[in-house]
Amino acid sequence: MSDLRLTHIGGPTALIETGGWRLLTDPTFDPPGQRYRFGWGTASHKSAGPALAASDLPPIDAVLLSHDQHGDNLDRTGRDVLRTAPTVLTTPAGARRLGRGAHGLAPWTVTRLHAPGRPTLTVTATPARHGPPLSRPLTGHVTGFALTWEGQQHGALWISGDTVLYGGAREVARRLAVGTALLHVGGVRFPITGPVRYTMTAAQAVHLCRLLRPRTAIPVHYEGWHHFHEGRDAIERELARAPADVRDRFRWLPTGTATDITA
């Protein structure tokens, strides 16, 4: 049985440990109370800090960065973390902006991480769309990641990235067997754009899990920011209406605590 340990640090940020590898998703380590602009008249305040400080992290082998253009997925301290990581995987546009050896992956591009004495990690970039149709010129490009390695029993570890439920996310369900899904939820919206959502709502996450049928679905990216409009309570209300075979797949991780997951 494959070992997998996840630590939800806060927001979209999680530490993934398996087979001697340590990977970090979307590093956000700034303290709360700051305001961040996202462009086109949108902005938000950070209301909660990370459960672990950047200085508390173990050495990181790679960062999986869904996108670099928004401060709730890569903040100022997170950029310092990037500079310490040997490998940064992100979107092609993000890699061009970041430089410093960041590797850009187009959707369905595959790369592999190798190290002596460790299993090879296969990383597949998966489609993501950070808003409604035609929103990419405003929100920029985003990617998800699917991780596979020898010994997995239940399928890939999939990190959705900031995405709504759309054809690309449904394609993941068709093309991949997913054992563990880290779902970026929160139903993000801004006053200036009214009811438009930029990440999955609770209802979308539940619907996607009906398609994916992962062994374990773990919500992230639902707390700590003012523009996250669907927190844990909203997700639990939606789960209460869901069929038991979907509801029982969801698992909440305590922030800052390493949790073992059957992979």
Side-chain angles (χ1 to χ4, degrees):
M1 187 174 295
S2 177
D3 66 305
L4 173 62
R5 179 168 291 179
L6 298 176
T7 306
H8 184 200
I9 295 172
T13 310
L15 176 64
I16 300 166
E17 298 177 274
T18 185
W21 291 97
R22 296 188 182 99
L23 295 89
L24 189 69
T25 67
D26 286 0
T28 54
F29 291 94
D30 284 355
Q34 301 184 60
R35 187 172 186 267
Y36 299 77
R37 295 184 181 276
F38 300 132
W40 297 92
T42 61
S44 184
H45 282 85
K46 187 173 186 178
S47 58
L52 297 176
S55 58
D56 294 330
L57 292 173
I60 299 299
D61 298 298
V63 172
L64 306 177
L65 179 62
S66 69
H67 60 301
D68 68 302
Q69 64 267 31
H70 297 146
D72 58 331
N73 293 82
L74 179 65
D75 60 18
R76 300 175 186 96
T77 308
R79 290 178 183 273
D80 294 335
V81 172
L82 286 190
R83 287 188 277 272
T84 70
T87 300
V88 176
L89 302 179
T90 189
T91 65
R96 289 191 293 271
R97 285 189 292 264
L98 292 169
R100 298 190 301 274
H103 302 283
L105 301 178
W108 301 114
T109 300
V110 174
T111 191
R112 291 176 175 84
L113 304 180
H114 304 277
R118 301 180 192 174
T120 297
L121 289 186
T122 299
V123 183
T124 303
T126 60
R129 194 183 74 201
H130 202 352
L134 306 179
S135 63
R136 280 199 179 100
L138 303 180
T139 61
H141 288 84
V142 181
T143 188
F145 301 95
L147 306 181
T148 56
W149 58 87
E150 185 178 359
Q152 280 178 320
Q153 301 295 309
H154 303 289
L157 166 62
W158 180 52
I159 302 103
S160 72
D162 281 14
T163 187
V164 295
L165 178 60
Y166 79 115
R170 294 185 180 93
E171 186 181 6
V172 173
R174 291 194 300 269
R175 293 180 59 161
L176 297 180
V178 175
T180 303
L182 290 183
L183 301 177
H184 289 215
V185 288
V188 164
R189 61 184 174 88
F190 300 95
I192 196 170
T193 52
V196 173
R197 304 286 179 150
Y198 296 93
T199 60
M200 278 188 284
T201 63
Q204 288 178 337
V206 168
H207 181 77
L208 180 57
C209 279
R210 297 177 76 165
L211 303 177
L212 286 171
R213 302 193 68 80
R215 179 182 177 90
T216 307
I218 299 169
V220 297
H221 193 273
Y222 60 86
E223 42 67 47
W225 289 80
H226 287 180
H227 63 305
F228 293 178
H229 282 264
E230 291 193 3
R232 179 168 175 168
D233 288 348
I235 299 166
E236 289 184 332
R237 285 194 299 271
E238 191 65 36
L239 288 174
R241 296 190 288 266
D245 69 328
V246 173
R247 181 172 62 247
D248 294 346
R249 298 173 193 272
F250 277 76
R251 182 171 180 180
W252 298 97
L253 297 188
T255 54
T257 302
T259 303
D260 292 326
I261 305 292
T262 301

